[in-house]
PDB file of all heavy atoms in Angstrom:
ATOM      1  N   CYS A   5       3.163  11.191 -92.741  1.00 89.00           N
ATOM      2  CA  CYS A   5       2.986  12.578 -93.144  1.00 89.00           C
ATOM      3  C   CYS A   5       4.281  13.369 -93.037  1.00 89.00           C
ATOM      4  O   CYS A   5       4.988  13.292 -92.034  1.00 89.00           O
ATOM      5  CB  CYS A   5       1.906  13.238 -92.281  1.00 89.00           C
ATOM      6  SG  CYS A   5       1.624  14.990 -92.690  1.00 89.00           S
ATOM      7  N   PHE A   6       4.578  14.123 -94.076  1.00 89.00           N
ATOM      8  CA  PHE A   6       5.645  15.121 -94.057  1.00 89.00           C
ATOM      9  C   PHE A   6       4.967  16.488 -94.053  1.00 89.00           C
ATOM     10  O   PHE A   6       4.036  16.719 -94.829  1.00 89.00           O
ATOM     11  CB  PHE A   6       6.538  15.016 -95.293  1.00 89.00           C
ATOM     12  CG  PHE A   6       7.500  13.867 -95.275  1.00 89.00           C
ATOM     13  CD1 PHE A   6       7.055  12.558 -95.293  1.00 89.00           C
ATOM     14  CD2 PHE A   6       8.864  14.097 -95.264  1.00 89.00           C
ATOM     15  CE1 PHE A   6       7.934  11.497 -95.294  1.00 89.00           C
ATOM     16  CE2 PHE A   6       9.772  13.041 -95.266  1.00 89.00           C
ATOM     17  CZ  PHE A   6       9.297  11.735 -95.285  1.00 89.00           C
ATOM     18  N   GLN A   7       5.443  17.388 -93.233  1.00 90.00           N
ATOM     19  CA  GLN A   7       4.903  18.745 -93.188  1.00 90.00           C
ATOM     20  C   GLN A   7       6.055  19.727 -93.144  1.00 90.00           C
ATOM     21  O   GLN A   7       7.004  19.563 -92.383  1.00 90.00           O
ATOM     22  CB  GLN A   7       4.008  18.932 -91.955  1.00 90.00           C
ATOM     23  CG  GLN A   7       3.428  20.332 -91.822  1.00 90.00           C
ATOM     24  CD  GLN A   7       2.534  20.484 -90.598  1.00 90.00           C
ATOM     25  OE1 GLN A   7       2.123  19.494 -89.984  1.00 90.00           O
ATOM     26  NE2 GLN A   7       2.243  21.711 -90.216  1.00 90.00           N
ATOM     27  N   PHE A   8       5.968  20.780 -93.972  1.00 88.00           N
ATOM     28  CA  PHE A   8       7.021  21.791 -93.979  1.00 88.00           C
ATOM     29  C   PHE A   8       6.461  23.084 -94.562  1.00 88.00           C
ATOM     30  O   PHE A   8       5.553  23.056 -95.389  1.00 88.00           O
ATOM     31  CB  PHE A   8       8.253  21.330 -94.776  1.00 88.00           C
ATOM     32  CG  PHE A   8       7.950  20.769 -96.132  1.00 88.00           C
ATOM     33  CD1 PHE A   8       8.027  21.568 -97.263  1.00 88.00           C
ATOM     34  CD2 PHE A   8       7.581  19.443 -96.283  1.00 88.00           C
ATOM     35  CE1 PHE A   8       7.742  21.054 -98.518  1.00 88.00           C
ATOM     36  CE2 PHE A   8       7.295  18.917 -97.541  1.00 88.00           C
ATOM     37  CZ  PHE A   8       7.378  19.721 -98.661  1.00 88.00           C
ATOM     38  N   PRO A   9       6.975  24.236 -94.142  1.00 86.00           N
ATOM     39  CA  PRO A   9       6.458  25.522 -94.618  1.00 86.00           C
ATOM     40  C   PRO A   9       7.011  25.879 -95.988  1.00 86.00           C
ATOM     41  O   PRO A   9       7.991  25.289 -96.460  1.00 86.00           O
ATOM     42  CB  PRO A   9       6.952  26.507 -93.553  1.00 86.00           C
ATOM     43  CG  PRO A   9       8.236  25.899 -93.081  1.00 86.00           C
ATOM     44  CD  PRO A   9       8.023  24.409 -93.114  1.00 86.00           C
ATOM     45  N   ASP A  10       6.397  26.869 -96.626  1.00 82.00           N
ATOM     46  CA  ASP A  10       6.885  27.331 -97.919  1.00 82.00           C
ATOM     47  C   ASP A  10       8.320  27.829 -97.845  1.00 82.00           C
ATOM     48  O   ASP A  10       9.042  27.783 -98.837  1.00 82.00           O
ATOM     49  CB  ASP A  10       5.991  28.462 -98.444  1.00 82.00           C
ATOM     50  CG  ASP A  10       4.674  27.950 -98.995  1.00 82.00           C
ATOM     51  OD1 ASP A  10       4.551  26.727 -99.194  1.00 82.00           O
ATOM     52  OD2 ASP A  10       3.763  28.764 -99.214  1.00 82.00           O
ATOM     53  N   THR A  11       8.731  28.333 -96.700  1.00 80.00           N
ATOM     54  CA  THR A  11      10.068  28.900 -96.573  1.00 80.00           C
ATOM     55  C   THR A  11      11.143  27.831 -96.412  1.00 80.00           C
ATOM     56  O   THR A  11      12.326  28.155 -96.367  1.00 80.00           O
ATOM     57  CB  THR A  11      10.132  29.843 -95.357  1.00 80.00           C
ATOM     58  OG1 THR A  11       9.599  29.180 -94.211  1.00 80.00           O
ATOM     59  CG2 THR A  11       9.358  31.116 -95.630  1.00 80.00           C
ATOM     60  N   PHE A  12      10.741  26.569 -96.330  1.00 77.00           N
ATOM     61  CA  PHE A  12      11.721  25.491 -96.210  1.00 77.00           C
ATOM     62  C   PHE A  12      12.223  25.120 -97.596  1.00 77.00           C
ATOM     63  O   PHE A  12      11.458  24.718 -98.472  1.00 77.00           O
ATOM     64  CB  PHE A  12      11.087  24.270 -95.538  1.00 77.00           C
ATOM     65  CG  PHE A  12      12.050  23.139 -95.301  1.00 77.00           C
ATOM     66  CD1 PHE A  12      13.019  23.233 -94.330  1.00 77.00           C
ATOM     67  CD2 PHE A  12      11.979  21.983 -96.060  1.00 77.00           C
ATOM     68  CE1 PHE A  12      13.901  22.200 -94.104  1.00 77.00           C
ATOM     69  CE2 PHE A  12      12.866  20.940 -95.848  1.00 77.00           C
ATOM     70  CZ  PHE A  12      13.826  21.048 -94.865  1.00 77.00           C
ATOM     71  N   GLU A  13      13.522  25.250 -97.810  1.00 71.00           N
ATOM     72  CA  GLU A  13      14.102  25.018 -99.123  1.00 71.00           C
ATOM     73  C   GLU A  13      14.348  23.533 -99.342  1.00 71.00           C
ATOM     74  O   GLU A  13      14.910  22.850 -98.497  1.00 71.00           O
ATOM     75  CB  GLU A  13      15.410  25.786 -99.282  1.00 71.00           C
ATOM     76  CG  GLU A  13      15.223  27.296 -99.318  1.00 71.00           C
ATOM     77  CD  GLU A  13      16.521  28.009 -99.635  1.00 71.00           C
ATOM     78  OE1 GLU A  13      17.590  27.448 -99.331  1.00 71.00           O
ATOM     79  OE2 GLU A  13      16.463  29.111-100.184  1.00 71.00           O
ATOM     80  N   THR A  14      13.905  23.031-100.503  1.00 69.00           N
ATOM     81  CA  THR A  14      14.128  21.646-100.872  1.00 69.00           C
ATOM     82  C   THR A  14      14.602  21.585-102.315  1.00 69.00           C
ATOM     83  O   THR A  14      14.539  22.573-103.051  1.00 69.00           O
ATOM     84  CB  THR A  14      12.833  20.810-100.755  1.00 69.00           C
ATOM     85  OG1 THR A  14      11.964  21.174-101.833  1.00 69.00           O
ATOM     86  CG2 THR A  14      12.123  21.046 -99.430  1.00 69.00           C
ATOM     87  N   GLU A  15      15.064  20.426-102.713  1.00 66.00           N
ATOM     88  CA  GLU A  15      15.226  20.178-104.134  1.00 66.00           C
ATOM     89  C   GLU A  15      13.828  20.136-104.750  1.00 66.00           C
ATOM     90  O   GLU A  15      12.844  19.887-104.057  1.00 66.00           O
ATOM     91  CB  GLU A  15      15.952  18.840-104.357  1.00 66.00           C
ATOM     92  CG  GLU A  15      17.388  18.815-103.834  1.00 66.00           C
ATOM     93  CD  GLU A  15      18.297  19.742-104.613  1.00 66.00           C
ATOM     94  OE1 GLU A  15      18.041  19.949-105.821  1.00 66.00           O
ATOM     95  OE2 GLU A  15      19.254  20.258-104.022  1.00 66.00           O
ATOM     96  N   PRO A  16      13.709  20.393-106.069  1.00 68.00           N
ATOM     97  CA  PRO A  16      12.374  20.318-106.680  1.00 68.00           C
ATOM     98  C   PRO A  16      11.744  18.948-106.457  1.00 68.00           C
ATOM     99  O   PRO A  16      12.380  17.920-106.673  1.00 68.00           O
ATOM    100  CB  PRO A  16      12.655  20.564-108.168  1.00 68.00           C
ATOM    101  CG  PRO A  16      13.939  21.340-108.183  1.00 68.00           C
ATOM    102  CD  PRO A  16      14.746  20.820-107.030  1.00 68.00           C
ATOM    103  N   LEU A  17      10.504  18.937-106.000  1.00 75.00           N
ATOM    104  CA  LEU A  17       9.806  17.684-105.737  1.00 75.00           C
ATOM    105  C   LEU A  17       8.985  17.214-106.925  1.00 75.00           C
ATOM    106  O   LEU A  17       8.722  16.025-107.066  1.00 75.00           O
ATOM    107  CB  LEU A  17       8.896  17.847-104.518  1.00 75.00           C
ATOM    108  CG  LEU A  17       9.598  18.152-103.193  1.00 75.00           C
ATOM    109  CD1 LEU A  17       8.576  18.293-102.078  1.00 75.00           C
ATOM    110  CD2 LEU A  17      10.598  17.057-102.861  1.00 75.00           C
ATOM    111  N   PHE A  18       8.558  18.155-107.783  1.00 81.00           N
ATOM    112  CA  PHE A  18       7.729  17.806-108.921  1.00 81.00           C
ATOM    113  C   PHE A  18       8.278  18.481-110.165  1.00 81.00           C
ATOM    114  O   PHE A  18       8.661  19.641-110.127  1.00 81.00           O
ATOM    115  CB  PHE A  18       6.271  18.215-108.686  1.00 81.00           C
ATOM    116  CG  PHE A  18       5.699  17.666-107.410  1.00 81.00           C
ATOM    117  CD1 PHE A  18       5.522  18.484-106.309  1.00 81.00           C
ATOM    118  CD2 PHE A  18       5.377  16.336-107.306  1.00 81.00           C
ATOM    119  CE1 PHE A  18       5.022  17.974-105.129  1.00 81.00           C
ATOM    120  CE2 PHE A  18       4.867  15.813-106.129  1.00 81.00           C
ATOM    121  CZ  PHE A  18       4.687  16.635-105.031  1.00 81.00           C
ATOM    122  N   LEU A  19       8.311  17.750-111.245  1.00 82.00           N
ATOM    123  CA  LEU A  19       8.877  18.256-112.483  1.00 82.00           C
ATOM    124  C   LEU A  19       7.791  18.830-113.380  1.00 82.00           C
ATOM    125  O   LEU A  19       6.632  18.423-113.329  1.00 82.00           O
ATOM    126  CB  LEU A  19       9.601  17.130-113.226  1.00 82.00           C
ATOM    127  CG  LEU A  19      10.757  16.463-112.463  1.00 82.00           C
ATOM    128  CD1 LEU A  19      11.301  15.292-113.267  1.00 82.00           C
ATOM    129  CD2 LEU A  19      11.858  17.462-112.164  1.00 82.00           C
ATOM    130  N   GLY A  20       8.198  19.784-114.213  1.00 82.00           N
ATOM    131  CA  GLY A  20       7.314  20.381-115.204  1.00 82.00           C
ATOM    132  C   GLY A  20       8.051  20.499-116.519  1.00 82.00           C
ATOM    133  O   GLY A  20       9.259  20.253-116.588  1.00 82.00           O
ATOM    134  N   PRO A  21       7.365  20.878-117.587  1.00 80.00           N
ATOM    135  CA  PRO A  21       8.008  20.907-118.907  1.00 80.00           C
ATOM    136  C   PRO A  21       9.176  21.873-118.993  1.00 80.00           C
ATOM    137  O   PRO A  21      10.141  21.624-119.723  1.00 80.00           O
ATOM    138  CB  PRO A  21       6.871  21.313-119.854  1.00 80.00           C
ATOM    139  CG  PRO A  21       5.846  21.947-118.976  1.00 80.00           C
ATOM    140  CD  PRO A  21       5.945  21.261-117.654  1.00 80.00           C
ATOM    141  N   THR A  22       9.123  22.981-118.256  1.00 77.00           N
ATOM    142  CA  THR A  22      10.210  23.953-118.358  1.00 77.00           C
ATOM    143  C   THR A  22      11.475  23.489-117.639  1.00 77.00           C
ATOM    144  O   THR A  22      12.511  24.148-117.736  1.00 77.00           O
ATOM    145  CB  THR A  22       9.770  25.310-117.781  1.00 77.00           C
ATOM    146  OG1 THR A  22       9.325  25.133-116.428  1.00 77.00           O
ATOM    147  CG2 THR A  22       8.645  25.900-118.603  1.00 77.00           C
ATOM    148  N   GLU A  23      11.401  22.363-116.907  1.00 78.00           N
ATOM    149  CA  GLU A  23      12.608  21.804-116.294  1.00 78.00           C
ATOM    150  C   GLU A  23      13.521  21.208-117.366  1.00 78.00           C
ATOM    151  O   GLU A  23      14.726  21.048-117.152  1.00 78.00           O
ATOM    152  CB  GLU A  23      12.236  20.706-115.292  1.00 78.00           C
ATOM    153  CG  GLU A  23      11.350  21.150-114.156  1.00 78.00           C
ATOM    154  CD  GLU A  23      12.091  21.923-113.098  1.00 78.00           C
ATOM    155  OE1 GLU A  23      13.330  21.899-113.096  1.00 78.00           O
ATOM    156  OE2 GLU A  23      11.419  22.564-112.270  1.00 78.00           O
ATOM    157  N   PHE A  24      12.960  20.871-118.524  1.00 77.00           N
ATOM    158  CA  PHE A  24      13.713  20.134-119.538  1.00 77.00           C
ATOM    159  C   PHE A  24      14.059  20.977-120.758  1.00 77.00           C
ATOM    160  O   PHE A  24      15.054  20.722-121.420  1.00 77.00           O
ATOM    161  CB  PHE A  24      12.889  18.912-119.988  1.00 77.00           C
ATOM    162  CG  PHE A  24      12.610  17.946-118.877  1.00 77.00           C
ATOM    163  CD1 PHE A  24      11.462  18.066-118.105  1.00 77.00           C
ATOM    164  CD2 PHE A  24      13.502  16.932-118.596  1.00 77.00           C
ATOM    165  CE1 PHE A  24      11.206  17.177-117.070  1.00 77.00           C
ATOM    166  CE2 PHE A  24      13.253  16.052-117.558  1.00 77.00           C
ATOM    167  CZ  PHE A  24      12.102  16.160-116.789  1.00 77.00           C
ATOM    168  N   ILE A  25      13.219  21.937-121.069  1.00 75.00           N
ATOM    169  CA  ILE A  25      13.418  22.750-122.268  1.00 75.00           C
ATOM    170  C   ILE A  25      13.652  24.195-121.853  1.00 75.00           C
ATOM    171  O   ILE A  25      12.831  24.787-121.159  1.00 75.00           O
ATOM    172  CB  ILE A  25      12.196  22.673-123.197  1.00 75.00           C
ATOM    173  CG1 ILE A  25      11.949  21.225-123.621  1.00 75.00           C
ATOM    174  CG2 ILE A  25      12.384  23.570-124.409  1.00 75.00           C
ATOM    175  CD1 ILE A  25      13.078  20.604-124.416  1.00 75.00           C
ATOM    176  N   HIS A  26      14.782  24.773-122.277  1.00 74.00           N
ATOM    177  CA  HIS A  26      15.138  26.141-121.918  1.00 74.00           C
ATOM    178  C   HIS A  26      15.127  26.989-123.198  1.00 74.00           C
ATOM    179  O   HIS A  26      16.101  27.017-123.957  1.00 74.00           O
ATOM    180  CB  HIS A  26      16.510  26.184-121.257  1.00 74.00           C
ATOM    181  CG  HIS A  26      16.610  25.315-120.043  1.00 74.00           C
ATOM    182  ND1 HIS A  26      17.799  24.824-119.574  1.00 74.00           N
ATOM    183  CD2 HIS A  26      15.654  24.835-119.204  1.00 74.00           C
ATOM    184  CE1 HIS A  26      17.587  24.084-118.507  1.00 74.00           C
ATOM    185  NE2 HIS A  26      16.287  24.072-118.262  1.00 74.00           N
ATOM    186  N   LEU A  27      14.039  27.687-123.418  1.00 73.00           N
ATOM    187  CA  LEU A  27      13.895  28.449-124.659  1.00 73.00           C
ATOM    188  C   LEU A  27      14.973  29.506-124.822  1.00 73.00           C
ATOM    189  O   LEU A  27      15.349  29.854-125.941  1.00 73.00           O
ATOM    190  CB  LEU A  27      12.511  29.111-124.702  1.00 73.00           C
ATOM    191  CG  LEU A  27      11.300  28.163-124.763  1.00 73.00           C
ATOM    192  CD1 LEU A  27      10.017  28.968-124.718  1.00 73.00           C
ATOM    193  CD2 LEU A  27      11.350  27.293-125.998  1.00 73.00           C
ATOM    194  N   ALA A  28      15.470  30.021-123.697  1.00 70.00           N
ATOM    195  CA  ALA A  28      16.475  31.086-123.783  1.00 70.00           C
ATOM    196  C   ALA A  28      17.771  30.597-124.421  1.00 70.00           C
ATOM    197  O   ALA A  28      18.573  31.402-124.887  1.00 70.00           O
ATOM    198  CB  ALA A  28      16.761  31.634-122.387  1.00 70.00           C
ATOM    199  N   GLU A  29      17.959  29.283-124.460  1.00 71.00           N
ATOM    200  CA  GLU A  29      19.201  28.740-125.016  1.00 71.00           C
ATOM    201  C   GLU A  29      19.058  28.327-126.481  1.00 71.00           C
ATOM    202  O   GLU A  29      20.009  27.834-127.081  1.00 71.00           O
ATOM    203  CB  GLU A  29      19.646  27.552-124.165  1.00 71.00           C
ATOM    204  CG  GLU A  29      19.941  27.930-122.715  1.00 71.00           C
ATOM    205  CD  GLU A  29      20.297  26.734-121.860  1.00 71.00           C
ATOM    206  OE1 GLU A  29      20.482  25.639-122.429  1.00 71.00           O
ATOM    207  OE2 GLU A  29      20.394  26.882-120.630  1.00 71.00           O
ATOM    208  N   PHE A  30      17.864  28.501-127.045  1.00 73.00           N
ATOM    209  CA  PHE A  30      17.679  28.162-128.453  1.00 73.00           C
ATOM    210  C   PHE A  30      18.406  29.179-129.332  1.00 73.00           C
ATOM    211  O   PHE A  30      18.490  30.362-129.002  1.00 73.00           O
ATOM    212  CB  PHE A  30      16.192  28.174-128.819  1.00 73.00           C
ATOM    213  CG  PHE A  30      15.426  26.984-128.306  1.00 73.00           C
ATOM    214  CD1 PHE A  30      15.990  26.091-127.415  1.00 73.00           C
ATOM    215  CD2 PHE A  30      14.128  26.750-128.729  1.00 73.00           C
ATOM    216  CE1 PHE A  30      15.282  25.005-126.941  1.00 73.00           C
ATOM    217  CE2 PHE A  30      13.412  25.664-128.263  1.00 73.00           C
ATOM    218  CZ  PHE A  30      13.984  24.786-127.364  1.00 73.00           C
ATOM    219  N   SER A  31      18.910  28.734-130.474  1.00 70.00           N
ATOM    220  CA  SER A  31      19.608  29.638-131.398  1.00 70.00           C
ATOM    221  C   SER A  31      18.629  30.378-132.307  1.00 70.00           C
ATOM    222  O   SER A  31      18.982  31.377-132.927  1.00 70.00           O
ATOM    223  CB  SER A  31      20.599  28.844-132.258  1.00 70.00           C
ATOM    224  OG  SER A  31      19.924  27.824-132.974  1.00 70.00           O
ATOM    225  N   THR A  32      17.388  29.889-132.391  1.00 73.00           N
ATOM    226  CA  THR A  32      16.354  30.556-133.189  1.00 73.00           C
ATOM    227  C   THR A  32      15.107  30.736-132.337  1.00 73.00           C
ATOM    228  O   THR A  32      14.865  29.985-131.394  1.00 73.00           O
ATOM    229  CB  THR A  32      15.992  29.729-134.437  1.00 73.00           C
ATOM    230  OG1 THR A  32      15.541  28.432-134.022  1.00 73.00           O
ATOM    231  CG2 THR A  32      17.192  29.581-135.356  1.00 73.00           C
ATOM    232  N   LEU A  33      14.317  31.746-132.671  1.00 77.00           N
ATOM    233  CA  LEU A  33      13.114  32.038-131.911  1.00 77.00           C
ATOM    234  C   LEU A  33      11.974  31.103-132.292  1.00 77.00           C
ATOM    235  O   LEU A  33      11.872  30.675-133.441  1.00 77.00           O
ATOM    236  CB  LEU A  33      12.673  33.475-132.161  1.00 77.00           C
ATOM    237  CG  LEU A  33      13.582  34.574-131.625  1.00 77.00           C
ATOM    238  CD1 LEU A  33      13.110  35.923-132.136  1.00 77.00           C
ATOM    239  CD2 LEU A  33      13.603  34.566-130.117  1.00 77.00           C
ATOM    240  N   PRO A  34      11.094  30.764-131.341  1.00 84.00           N
ATOM    241  CA  PRO A  34       9.889  30.019-131.696  1.00 84.00           C
ATOM    242  C   PRO A  34       9.059  30.809-132.711  1.00 84.00           C
ATOM    243  O   PRO A  34       9.048  32.034-132.702  1.00 84.00           O
ATOM    244  CB  PRO A  34       9.154  29.878-130.354  1.00 84.00           C
ATOM    245  CG  PRO A  34      10.221  30.042-129.313  1.00 84.00           C
ATOM    246  CD  PRO A  34      11.194  31.022-129.895  1.00 84.00           C
ATOM    247  N   GLU A  35       8.362  30.088-133.567  1.00 87.00           N
ATOM    248  CA  GLU A  35       7.554  30.723-134.598  1.00 87.00           C
ATOM    249  C   GLU A  35       6.074  30.625-134.253  1.00 87.00           C
ATOM    250  O   GLU A  35       5.603  29.595-133.771  1.00 87.00           O
ATOM    251  CB  GLU A  35       7.804  30.050-135.953  1.00 87.00           C
ATOM    252  CG  GLU A  35       9.235  30.202-136.458  1.00 87.00           C
ATOM    253  CD  GLU A  35       9.432  29.536-137.818  1.00 87.00           C
ATOM    254  OE1 GLU A  35       8.446  28.925-138.305  1.00 87.00           O
ATOM    255  OE2 GLU A  35      10.534  29.639-138.369  1.00 87.00           O
ATOM    256  N   GLU A  36       5.353  31.698-134.509  1.00 89.00           N
ATOM    257  CA  GLU A  36       3.908  31.698-134.316  1.00 89.00           C
ATOM    258  C   GLU A  36       3.261  31.052-135.529  1.00 89.00           C
ATOM    259  O   GLU A  36       3.514  31.438-136.670  1.00 89.00           O
ATOM    260  CB  GLU A  36       3.411  33.133-134.138  1.00 89.00           C
ATOM    261  CG  GLU A  36       1.922  33.232-133.900  1.00 89.00           C
ATOM    262  CD  GLU A  36       1.467  34.665-133.694  1.00 89.00           C
ATOM    263  OE1 GLU A  36       2.310  35.494-133.272  1.00 89.00           O
ATOM    264  OE2 GLU A  36       0.284  34.950-133.951  1.00 89.00           O
ATOM    265  N   THR A  37       2.407  30.050-135.272  1.00 93.00           N
ATOM    266  CA  THR A  37       1.815  29.299-136.378  1.00 93.00           C
ATOM    267  C   THR A  37       0.312  29.501-136.494  1.00 93.00           C
ATOM    268  O   THR A  37      -0.317  28.908-137.380  1.00 93.00           O
ATOM    269  CB  THR A  37       2.097  27.793-136.220  1.00 93.00           C
ATOM    270  OG1 THR A  37       1.473  27.320-135.026  1.00 93.00           O
ATOM    271  CG2 THR A  37       3.585  27.529-136.160  1.00 93.00           C
ATOM    272  N   GLY A  38      -0.286  30.288-135.617  1.00 94.00           N
ATOM    273  CA  GLY A  38      -1.715  30.522-135.707  1.00 94.00           C
ATOM    274  C   GLY A  38      -2.382  30.493-134.344  1.00 94.00           C
ATOM    275  O   GLY A  38      -1.723  30.344-133.312  1.00 94.00           O
ATOM    276  N   THR A  39      -3.694  30.645-134.345  1.00 96.00           N
ATOM    277  CA  THR A  39      -4.486  30.656-133.117  1.00 96.00           C
ATOM    278  C   THR A  39      -5.454  29.483-133.118  1.00 96.00           C
ATOM    279  O   THR A  39      -6.107  29.216-134.133  1.00 96.00           O
ATOM    280  CB  THR A  39      -5.263  31.976-132.979  1.00 96.00           C
ATOM    281  OG1 THR A  39      -4.335  33.070-132.963  1.00 96.00           O
ATOM    282  CG2 THR A  39      -6.063  32.004-131.687  1.00 96.00           C
ATOM    283  N   GLU A  40      -5.543  28.784-131.998  1.00 96.00           N
ATOM    284  CA  GLU A  40      -6.427  27.636-131.852  1.00 96.00           C
ATOM    285  C   GLU A  40      -7.302  27.827-130.617  1.00 96.00           C
ATOM    286  O   GLU A  40      -6.972  28.610-129.720  1.00 96.00           O
ATOM    287  CB  GLU A  40      -5.625  26.338-131.729  1.00 96.00           C
ATOM    288  CG  GLU A  40      -4.698  26.081-132.908  1.00 96.00           C
ATOM    289  CD  GLU A  40      -3.844  24.842-132.712  1.00 96.00           C
ATOM    290  OE1 GLU A  40      -4.236  23.979-131.897  1.00 96.00           O
ATOM    291  OE2 GLU A  40      -2.796  24.747-133.366  1.00 96.00           O
ATOM    292  N   SER A  41      -8.405  27.092-130.547  1.00 97.00           N
ATOM    293  CA  SER A  41      -9.302  27.148-129.399  1.00 97.00           C
ATOM    294  C   SER A  41      -8.991  26.005-128.447  1.00 97.00           C
ATOM    295  O   SER A  41      -9.000  24.838-128.848  1.00 97.00           O
ATOM    296  CB  SER A  41     -10.759  27.063-129.857  1.00 97.00           C
ATOM    297  OG  SER A  41     -11.638  27.087-128.739  1.00 97.00           O
ATOM    298  N   ILE A  42      -8.683  26.364-127.198  1.00 96.00           N
ATOM    299  CA  ILE A  42      -8.425  25.372-126.151  1.00 96.00           C
ATOM    300  C   ILE A  42      -9.275  25.730-124.948  1.00 96.00           C
ATOM    301  O   ILE A  42      -9.187  26.842-124.416  1.00 96.00           O
ATOM    302  CB  ILE A  42      -6.931  25.348-125.752  1.00 96.00           C
ATOM    303  CG1 ILE A  42      -6.063  24.963-126.951  1.00 96.00           C
ATOM    304  CG2 ILE A  42      -6.699  24.382-124.599  1.00 96.00           C
ATOM    305  CD1 ILE A  42      -4.575  24.979-126.667  1.00 96.00           C
ATOM    306  N   LEU A  43     -10.140  24.821-124.544  1.00 96.00           N
ATOM    307  CA  LEU A  43     -11.053  25.041-123.420  1.00 96.00           C
ATOM    308  C   LEU A  43     -11.878  26.310-123.620  1.00 96.00           C
ATOM    309  O   LEU A  43     -12.155  27.057-122.678  1.00 96.00           O
ATOM    310  CB  LEU A  43     -10.282  25.116-122.100  1.00 96.00           C
ATOM    311  CG  LEU A  43      -9.534  23.843-121.674  1.00 96.00           C
ATOM    312  CD1 LEU A  43      -8.739  24.096-120.391  1.00 96.00           C
ATOM    313  CD2 LEU A  43     -10.504  22.689-121.467  1.00 96.00           C
ATOM    314  N   GLY A  44     -12.229  26.570-124.865  1.00 95.00           N
ATOM    315  CA  GLY A  44     -13.044  27.736-125.182  1.00 95.00           C
ATOM    316  C   GLY A  44     -12.286  29.045-125.197  1.00 95.00           C
ATOM    317  O   GLY A  44     -12.892  30.118-125.316  1.00 95.00           O
TER     318      GLY A  44
END
């Protein structure tokens, strides 16, 4: 077992999609293509 508080700083332990894609660095804006139903 490893235990540590929220205030303990670590390198990121789990990756997510925004770790790889940085929208702010795109030269063009994302385009809205419509509305879909997801999970109601």
Side-chain angles (χ1 to χ4, degrees):
C5 179
F6 284 65
Q7 179 179 345
F8 49 96
D10 284 347
T11 50
F12 183 72
E13 292 187 333
T14 73
E15 295 293 330
L17 297 180
F18 306 105
L19 300 175
T22 56
E23 300 283 346
F24 298 91
I25 301 298
H26 303 156
L27 295 177
E29 298 176 9
F30 285 10
S31 58
T32 58
L33 292 172
E35 296 181 357
E36 181 179 335
T37 63
T39 301
E40 302 176 21
S41 179
I42 299 177
L43 296 176

